[in-house]
């Protein structure tokens, strides 16, 4: 069985060297351990110490030296926009306060479709439009360090907050 031995960040390797493609939506690319079915039908094993998101354009180096390109498939998302940059920043704060994966672009934020979040955004004066696009959210402040240096950040404390009118805590 062929195994993934290394993950090359998007943009750090020549895409023309890709021998095959692993294509999946956000859920299918956020993994620790699984069999990946490639576009050719071949299967390779992914075994990581910690779960991580395989980003669009990442290269998966196999134990035989081949590189597999990761492709983010389109999925149902919400495009969040605002009246101006400051308003969009405020909406981003509310989304971040709910620990939602988000792809931040010029003048918009993409999040996975959720009617409660859509109601919250419109209630805050923002605009929500359903779109179908590849979802490649921000990886977080510690994700790059964790992947490169063998450690990652963990929340070791509980913090209560509200989602769509109901409060709860995360440990």
């Amino acid at each position: 069985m062929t195994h993934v031995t290394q993950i090359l960040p998007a943009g750090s390797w020549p895409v023309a060297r890709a021998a095959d493609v692993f294509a999946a939506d956000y859920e299918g690319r956020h993994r620790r351990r699984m069999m990946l079915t490639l576009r050719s039908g071949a299967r390779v094993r992914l075994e990581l110490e910690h779960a991580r998101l395989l980003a669009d354009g990442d290269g998966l180096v196999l134990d035989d030296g081949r590189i597999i390109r990761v492709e983010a498939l389109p999925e149902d998302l919400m495009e969040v926009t605002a009246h101006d940059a400051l308003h969009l920043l405020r909406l981003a704060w509310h989304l971040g306060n709910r620990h939602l994966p988000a792809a931040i672009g010029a003048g918009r934020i993409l999040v996975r479709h959720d009617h409660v979040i859509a109601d919250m955004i419109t209630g805050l004066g923002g605009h929500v439009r359903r779109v179908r696009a590849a979802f490649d959210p921000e990886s977080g402040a510690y994700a790059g360090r964790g992947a490169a240096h063998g450690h990652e950040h963990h929340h070791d404390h509980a913090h209560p907050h509200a989602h769509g009118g109901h409060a709860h805590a995360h440990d």
Side-chain angles (χ1 to χ4, degrees):
M1 172 60 50
T2 306
H3 289 78
V4 174
T5 61
Q6 182 182 3
I7 300 172
L8 303 173
S12 71
W13 63 282
V15 178
R17 282 199 53 210
D20 209 334
V21 175
F22 168 64
D25 63 7
Y26 172 78
E27 290 292 325
R29 291 179 293 115
H30 192 256
R31 297 288 177 211
R32 181 182 86 76
R33 187 175 156 187
M34 72 177 291
M35 293 297 296
L36 306 177
T37 302
L38 307 181
R39 189 162 282 154
S40 67
R43 296 179 58 148
V44 299
R45 179 169 288 291
L46 175 73
E47 292 185 46
L48 303 173
E49 188 172 327
H50 302 284
R52 70 170 280 177
L53 177 65
L54 301 173
D56 186 63
D58 280 355
L60 307 177
V61 180
L62 304 180
D63 52 13
D64 63 9
R66 291 180 296 150
I67 301 176
I68 306 304
R69 181 175 56 87
V70 175
E71 179 183 307
L73 291 177
E75 54 191 292
D76 292 328
L77 303 173
M78 296 187 309
E79 178 185 65
V80 176
T81 57
H83 305 295
D84 57 36
L86 181 58
H87 187 215
L88 188 62
L89 183 60
R90 286 186 174 126
L91 295 175
W93 183 88
H94 284 281
L95 293 169
N97 191 45
R98 282 149 185 84
H99 305 283
L100 295 175
I104 301 170
R108 75 177 193 172
I109 302 168
L110 293 176
V111 294
R112 296 172 76 202
H113 185 263
D114 180 317
H115 69 89
V116 172
I117 298 301
D119 290 347
M120 177 194 76
I121 293 297
T122 56
L124 292 167
H127 308 284
V128 175
R129 182 173 69 104
R130 289 187 74 164
V131 297
R132 186 142 179 90
F135 187 50
D136 216 12
E138 297 293 319
S139 59
Y142 296 93
R145 270 174 74 183
H149 300 292
H151 65 274
E152 61 182 36
H153 176 74
H154 296 280
H155 288 280
D156 292 327
H157 59 278
H159 52 281
H161 55 274
H163 293 268
H166 65 278
H168 66 275
H170 292 277
D171 291 326

